[in-house]
Amino acid sequence: MCGILGGNVKNWDYQKGIEALKHRGPDAQRIKEYPLCCLSFARLSIRDLSENAMQPMESADGNVVITFNGEIYGYDKLRSALSKKYELRTTSDTEVILYAYMEYGDAFIDKIDGMFAIVIYDRRTEMLKLYRDRYGVKPLYYYLSEQGLVFASELKAILAASGNRKWEIDGTALYDFLCYQYIPDPKSLYKDIYKLEPAHCMFYDLRERKRKAYKKYWKLHVNTNAFGIKKEKDVAGDIRELLHQSIQEQLCADVPVGTYLSGGIDSSIVTYECSTAKKDILAFTIGFHEKKADESAYAALLAKRYKINQKKRILSSNDIRETIGTLQEIYDEPFSDT
């Protein structure tokens, strides 16, 4: 999962901030101080487990630095193209993003597909550039004021880094929560802390200590006839092929891979497709004592039919009682999804 944190607000404790993200990246943590900002990273090793793939990662000339949480899919072709010009030292997707930026500039974002929160520090222009994936799978919070900019994967890291600061609740965000049962982007529960919106990027000038741009880099196009009108059976075939391709691309890892298998249609399709590519795939199932809510029997049927190694746990009301006190710490913000 990994966690990222950084910024240019003086006297904040970035060490304490990155420690608050250790649950996202238990394998290693690193902080790098630059004259105008700090970048830090908590690592969960998935691709290229070597020290060379650790972040923050610098380009060979030291001009560009990246810290990144997430995963880039199907990057082999892009890596192959970049390796003709640049000497790549790892097999990580992080390095591919870094040199894609070196090669294509801000247009690099159109070359990659995946779930990500990316921060690029361009030392040539002293600009911090923040990017969030197209559907907002990966979170990216940021604090912005006259003091400067601080970004993090989770709200708790910003709160931890700020020390004893008293944060003021944003009344409009609380109103939104009471209306919608969650706090919509770009607001957070606190004033001056925001969420970067999905498919958006933000540029911050470290010299001027000022935000220079905030823009949407991608839009979903719907109801288009660009590909003509297709028959139902052809659309079904296309969906099957796209699902297969997408799931295969997401199985790339240097560690064991598993799936969540609830017994419903979505997780069953994903688990089946995974099992066609990885015979040692692990499926994890949560069941319930309440039979009306329990689908674990269907999960067991699928696992048996396709010879998938399944791990199952039954949750009880006692488990919920033990967990409920930790929800605020885990989720940072209120939400009403029971």
Side-chain angles (χ1 to χ4, degrees), residues 91-157:
T91 57
S92 69
D93 47 356
T94 307
E95 191 175 31
V96 171
I97 302 170
L98 176 63
Y99 283 99
Y101 176 80
M102 294 284 289
E103 180 67 15
Y104 304 110
D106 296 332
F108 87 95
I109 199 69
D110 300 321
K111 306 286 185 181
I112 62 172
D113 177 29
M115 52 178 183
F116 51 79
I118 299 170
V119 176
I120 289 176
Y121 173 30
D122 194 327
R123 303 186 70 185
R124 298 167 296 188
T125 58
E126 293 297 349
M127 197 80 70
L128 276 179
K129 299 183 176 183
L130 283 64
Y131 300 84
R132 190 175 177 198
D133 64 67
R134 292 165 178 82
Y135 294 104
V137 177
K138 291 299 180 183
L140 187 54
Y141 288 84
Y142 65 94
Y143 163 73
L144 183 64
S145 74
E146 292 180 355
Q147 284 186 289
L149 169 73
V150 176
F151 63 85
S153 293
E154 295 184 23
L155 188 57
K156 64 173 63 66

Side-chain angles (χ1 to χ4, degrees), residues 17-74:
I18 201 63
E19 285 175 0
L21 296 177
K22 191 176 275 190
H23 59 283
R24 296 181 71 94
D27 293 327
Q29 294 82 42
R30 177 188 286 172
I31 295 178
K32 295 205 74 170
E33 297 277 358
Y34 297 91
L36 294 184
C37 72
C38 171
L39 300 177
S40 58
F41 181 65
R43 184 183 189 188
L44 178 66
S45 303
I46 295 176
R47 295 186 185 181
D48 192 334
L49 312 185
S50 72
E51 179 63 20
N52 286 337
M54 184 59 176
Q55 302 177 37
M57 183 184 288
E58 297 183 357
S59 59
D61 59 12
N63 285 332
V64 179
V65 190
I66 183 174
T67 186
F68 145 71
N69 161 227
E71 187 177 6
I72 304 304
Y73 308 137

